[in-house]
mmCIF file of all heavy atoms in Angstrom:
data_model
loop_
_atom_site.group_PDB
_atom_site.id
_atom_site.type_symbol
_atom_site.label_atom_id
_atom_site.label_comp_id
_atom_site.label_asym_id
_atom_site.label_seq_id
_atom_site.Cartn_x
_atom_site.Cartn_y
_atom_site.Cartn_z
ATOM 1 N N LEU O 174 44.620 -72.084 85.712
ATOM 2 C CA LEU O 174 44.626 -72.023 84.252
ATOM 3 C C LEU O 174 45.002 -70.613 83.835
ATOM 4 O O LEU O 174 44.922 -69.672 84.634
ATOM 5 C CB LEU O 174 43.269 -72.429 83.665
ATOM 6 C CG LEU O 174 42.041 -71.620 84.047
ATOM 7 C CD1 LEU O 174 41.879 -70.374 83.185
ATOM 8 C CD2 LEU O 174 40.794 -72.480 83.925
ATOM 9 N N MET O 175 45.439 -70.501 82.602
ATOM 10 C CA MET O 175 45.798 -69.185 82.085
ATOM 11 C C MET O 175 44.911 -68.857 80.900
ATOM 12 O O MET O 175 44.642 -69.699 80.059
ATOM 13 C CB MET O 175 47.257 -69.170 81.656
ATOM 14 C CG MET O 175 48.164 -69.387 82.845
ATOM 15 S SD MET O 175 49.864 -69.398 82.374
ATOM 16 C CE MET O 175 50.052 -67.732 81.829
ATOM 17 N N THR O 176 44.477 -67.630 80.864
ATOM 18 C CA THR O 176 43.696 -67.158 79.736
ATOM 19 C C THR O 176 44.135 -65.710 79.492
ATOM 20 O O THR O 176 45.165 -65.281 80.033
ATOM 21 C CB THR O 176 42.182 -67.304 80.020
ATOM 22 O OG1 THR O 176 41.440 -66.852 78.888
ATOM 23 C CG2 THR O 176 41.735 -66.544 81.256
ATOM 24 N N ASP O 177 43.427 -64.980 78.676
ATOM 25 C CA ASP O 177 43.836 -63.595 78.432
ATOM 26 C C ASP O 177 42.630 -62.762 78.076
ATOM 27 O O ASP O 177 41.540 -63.296 77.855
ATOM 28 C CB ASP O 177 44.907 -63.536 77.327
ATOM 29 C CG ASP O 177 44.416 -64.180 76.054
ATOM 30 O OD1 ASP O 177 43.470 -63.655 75.449
ATOM 31 O OD2 ASP O 177 44.954 -65.241 75.666
ATOM 32 N N ASN O 178 42.848 -61.466 78.020
ATOM 33 C CA ASN O 178 41.713 -60.567 77.812
ATOM 34 C C ASN O 178 41.197 -60.585 76.373
ATOM 35 O O ASN O 178 40.253 -59.887 76.056
ATOM 36 C CB ASN O 178 42.061 -59.130 78.261
ATOM 37 C CG ASN O 178 43.186 -58.533 77.437
ATOM 38 O OD1 ASN O 178 43.951 -59.249 76.801
ATOM 39 N ND2 ASN O 178 43.281 -57.207 77.436
ATOM 40 N N GLN O 179 41.825 -61.418 75.492
ATOM 41 C CA GLN O 179 41.285 -61.581 74.134
ATOM 42 C C GLN O 179 40.534 -62.907 73.993
ATOM 43 O O GLN O 179 40.101 -63.275 72.909
ATOM 44 C CB GLN O 179 42.419 -61.505 73.113
ATOM 45 C CG GLN O 179 43.033 -60.112 73.034
ATOM 46 C CD GLN O 179 44.215 -60.029 72.083
ATOM 47 O OE1 GLN O 179 44.535 -60.961 71.360
ATOM 48 N NE2 GLN O 179 44.887 -58.891 72.097
ATOM 49 N N SER O 180 40.426 -63.669 75.090
ATOM 50 C CA SER O 180 39.708 -64.951 75.057
ATOM 51 C C SER O 180 38.440 -64.844 75.910
ATOM 52 O O SER O 180 38.177 -63.810 76.523
ATOM 53 C CB SER O 180 40.610 -66.072 75.587
ATOM 54 O OG SER O 180 41.759 -66.194 74.781
ATOM 55 N N ASP O 181 37.683 -65.945 75.976
ATOM 56 C CA ASP O 181 36.404 -65.934 76.700
ATOM 57 C C ASP O 181 36.611 -66.155 78.204
ATOM 58 O O ASP O 181 36.060 -67.080 78.795
ATOM 59 C CB ASP O 181 35.482 -67.016 76.137
ATOM 60 C CG ASP O 181 34.995 -66.683 74.734
ATOM 61 O OD1 ASP O 181 34.937 -65.478 74.397
ATOM 62 O OD2 ASP O 181 34.687 -67.615 73.991
ATOM 63 N N TYR O 182 37.398 -65.271 78.826
ATOM 64 C CA TYR O 182 37.761 -65.494 80.240
ATOM 65 C C TYR O 182 36.569 -65.419 81.185
ATOM 66 O O TYR O 182 36.575 -66.030 82.264
ATOM 67 C CB TYR O 182 38.846 -64.497 80.678
ATOM 68 C CG TYR O 182 38.419 -63.052 80.619
ATOM 69 C CD1 TYR O 182 37.788 -62.464 81.700
ATOM 70 C CD2 TYR O 182 38.627 -62.290 79.480
ATOM 71 C CE1 TYR O 182 37.371 -61.144 81.638
ATOM 72 C CE2 TYR O 182 38.209 -60.979 79.400
ATOM 73 C CZ TYR O 182 37.588 -60.408 80.477
ATOM 74 O OH TYR O 182 37.155 -59.112 80.420
ATOM 75 N N ALA O 183 35.489 -64.691 80.789
ATOM 76 C CA ALA O 183 34.326 -64.561 81.683
ATOM 77 C C ALA O 183 33.650 -65.912 81.938
ATOM 78 O O ALA O 183 32.937 -66.078 82.926
ATOM 79 C CB ALA O 183 33.326 -63.570 81.104
ATOM 80 N N PHE O 184 33.902 -66.866 81.031
ATOM 81 C CA PHE O 184 33.414 -68.235 81.233
ATOM 82 C C PHE O 184 33.894 -68.774 82.580
ATOM 83 O O PHE O 184 33.142 -69.408 83.317
ATOM 84 C CB PHE O 184 33.927 -69.093 80.073
ATOM 85 C CG PHE O 184 33.699 -70.571 80.182
ATOM 86 C CD1 PHE O 184 32.415 -71.098 80.177
ATOM 87 C CD2 PHE O 184 34.779 -71.447 80.260
ATOM 88 C CE1 PHE O 184 32.208 -72.481 80.253
ATOM 89 C CE2 PHE O 184 34.583 -72.812 80.329
ATOM 90 C CZ PHE O 184 33.303 -73.338 80.322
ATOM 91 N N TYR O 185 35.159 -68.491 82.915
ATOM 92 C CA TYR O 185 35.734 -69.014 84.166
ATOM 93 C C TYR O 185 35.132 -68.304 85.383
ATOM 94 O O TYR O 185 34.896 -68.927 86.410
ATOM 95 C CB TYR O 185 37.259 -68.885 84.143
ATOM 96 C CG TYR O 185 37.879 -69.579 82.956
ATOM 97 C CD1 TYR O 185 38.655 -68.881 82.026
ATOM 98 C CD2 TYR O 185 37.666 -70.932 82.743
ATOM 99 C CE1 TYR O 185 39.196 -69.522 80.925
ATOM 100 C CE2 TYR O 185 38.204 -71.585 81.648
ATOM 101 C CZ TYR O 185 38.966 -70.869 80.738
ATOM 102 O OH TYR O 185 39.494 -71.506 79.651
ATOM 103 N N ASP O 186 34.895 -66.987 85.271
ATOM 104 C CA ASP O 186 34.191 -66.271 86.347
ATOM 105 C C ASP O 186 32.826 -66.928 86.566
ATOM 106 O O ASP O 186 32.414 -67.182 87.693
ATOM 107 C CB ASP O 186 33.988 -64.796 85.980
ATOM 108 C CG ASP O 186 35.304 -64.024 85.914
ATOM 109 O OD1 ASP O 186 36.006 -63.997 86.925
ATOM 110 O OD2 ASP O 186 35.609 -63.456 84.847
ATOM 111 N N HIS O 187 32.144 -67.197 85.440
ATOM 112 C CA HIS O 187 30.791 -67.755 85.511
ATOM 113 C C HIS O 187 30.794 -69.113 86.213
ATOM 114 O O HIS O 187 29.843 -69.454 86.925
ATOM 115 C CB HIS O 187 30.224 -67.892 84.102
ATOM 116 C CG HIS O 187 28.778 -68.280 84.070
ATOM 117 N ND1 HIS O 187 27.765 -67.389 84.336
ATOM 118 C CD2 HIS O 187 28.170 -69.478 83.845
ATOM 119 C CE1 HIS O 187 26.602 -68.012 84.271
ATOM 120 N NE2 HIS O 187 26.825 -69.279 83.966
ATOM 121 N N LEU O 188 31.860 -69.897 86.019
ATOM 122 C CA LEU O 188 31.929 -71.217 86.647
ATOM 123 C C LEU O 188 32.493 -71.150 88.067
ATOM 124 O O LEU O 188 32.793 -72.182 88.667
ATOM 125 C CB LEU O 188 32.756 -72.187 85.791
ATOM 126 C CG LEU O 188 32.179 -72.571 84.428
ATOM 127 C CD1 LEU O 188 32.915 -73.778 83.844
ATOM 128 C CD2 LEU O 188 30.691 -72.886 84.484
ATOM 129 N N GLY O 189 32.669 -69.946 88.584
ATOM 130 C CA GLY O 189 33.045 -69.806 90.001
ATOM 131 C C GLY O 189 34.534 -69.859 90.294
ATOM 132 O O GLY O 189 34.939 -70.004 91.447
ATOM 133 N N MET O 190 35.358 -69.734 89.263
ATOM 134 C CA MET O 190 36.808 -69.703 89.510
ATOM 135 C C MET O 190 37.221 -68.285 89.897
ATOM 136 O O MET O 190 36.483 -67.325 89.665
ATOM 137 C CB MET O 190 37.562 -70.174 88.276
ATOM 138 C CG MET O 190 37.233 -71.625 87.933
ATOM 139 S SD MET O 190 37.967 -72.105 86.371
ATOM 140 C CE MET O 190 36.863 -73.429 85.870
ATOM 141 N N THR O 191 38.416 -68.182 90.468
ATOM 142 C CA THR O 191 38.888 -66.901 90.992
ATOM 143 C C THR O 191 40.084 -66.414 90.193
ATOM 144 O O THR O 191 41.012 -67.202 89.933
ATOM 145 C CB THR O 191 39.353 -67.080 92.468
ATOM 146 O OG1 THR O 191 38.311 -67.749 93.171
ATOM 147 C CG2 THR O 191 39.672 -65.750 93.121
ATOM 148 N N ARG O 192 40.074 -65.124 89.831
ATOM 149 C CA ARG O 192 41.256 -64.584 89.148
ATOM 150 C C ARG O 192 42.324 -64.344 90.207
ATOM 151 O O ARG O 192 42.125 -63.568 91.140
ATOM 152 C CB ARG O 192 40.925 -63.288 88.422
ATOM 153 C CG ARG O 192 42.009 -62.936 87.404
ATOM 154 C CD ARG O 192 41.738 -61.626 86.715
ATOM 155 N NE ARG O 192 40.486 -61.609 85.985
ATOM 156 C CZ ARG O 192 39.981 -60.506 85.418
ATOM 157 N NH1 ARG O 192 40.620 -59.356 85.497
ATOM 158 N NH2 ARG O 192 38.837 -60.559 84.771
ATOM 159 N N ILE O 193 43.462 -65.039 90.066
ATOM 160 C CA ILE O 193 44.469 -64.984 91.132
ATOM 161 C C ILE O 193 45.713 -64.178 90.746
ATOM 162 O O ILE O 193 46.493 -63.815 91.610
ATOM 163 C CB ILE O 193 44.891 -66.415 91.593
ATOM 164 C CG1 ILE O 193 45.261 -67.289 90.390
ATOM 165 C CG2 ILE O 193 43.797 -67.062 92.402
ATOM 166 C CD1 ILE O 193 45.738 -68.692 90.759
ATOM 167 N N ALA O 194 45.891 -63.905 89.463
ATOM 168 C CA ALA O 194 47.055 -63.108 89.068
ATOM 169 C C ALA O 194 46.871 -62.573 87.653
ATOM 170 O O ALA O 194 46.054 -63.095 86.874
ATOM 171 C CB ALA O 194 48.323 -63.956 89.140
#
Side-chain angles (χ1 to χ4, degrees):
L174 60 84
M175 296 179 65
T176 181
D177 57 65
N178 63 340
Q179 292 177 7
S180 299
D181 290 334
Y182 62 88
F184 172 65
Y185 303 121
D186 293 302
H187 188 77
L188 294 194
M190 297 173 205
T191 310
R192 196 183 300 173
I193 50 178

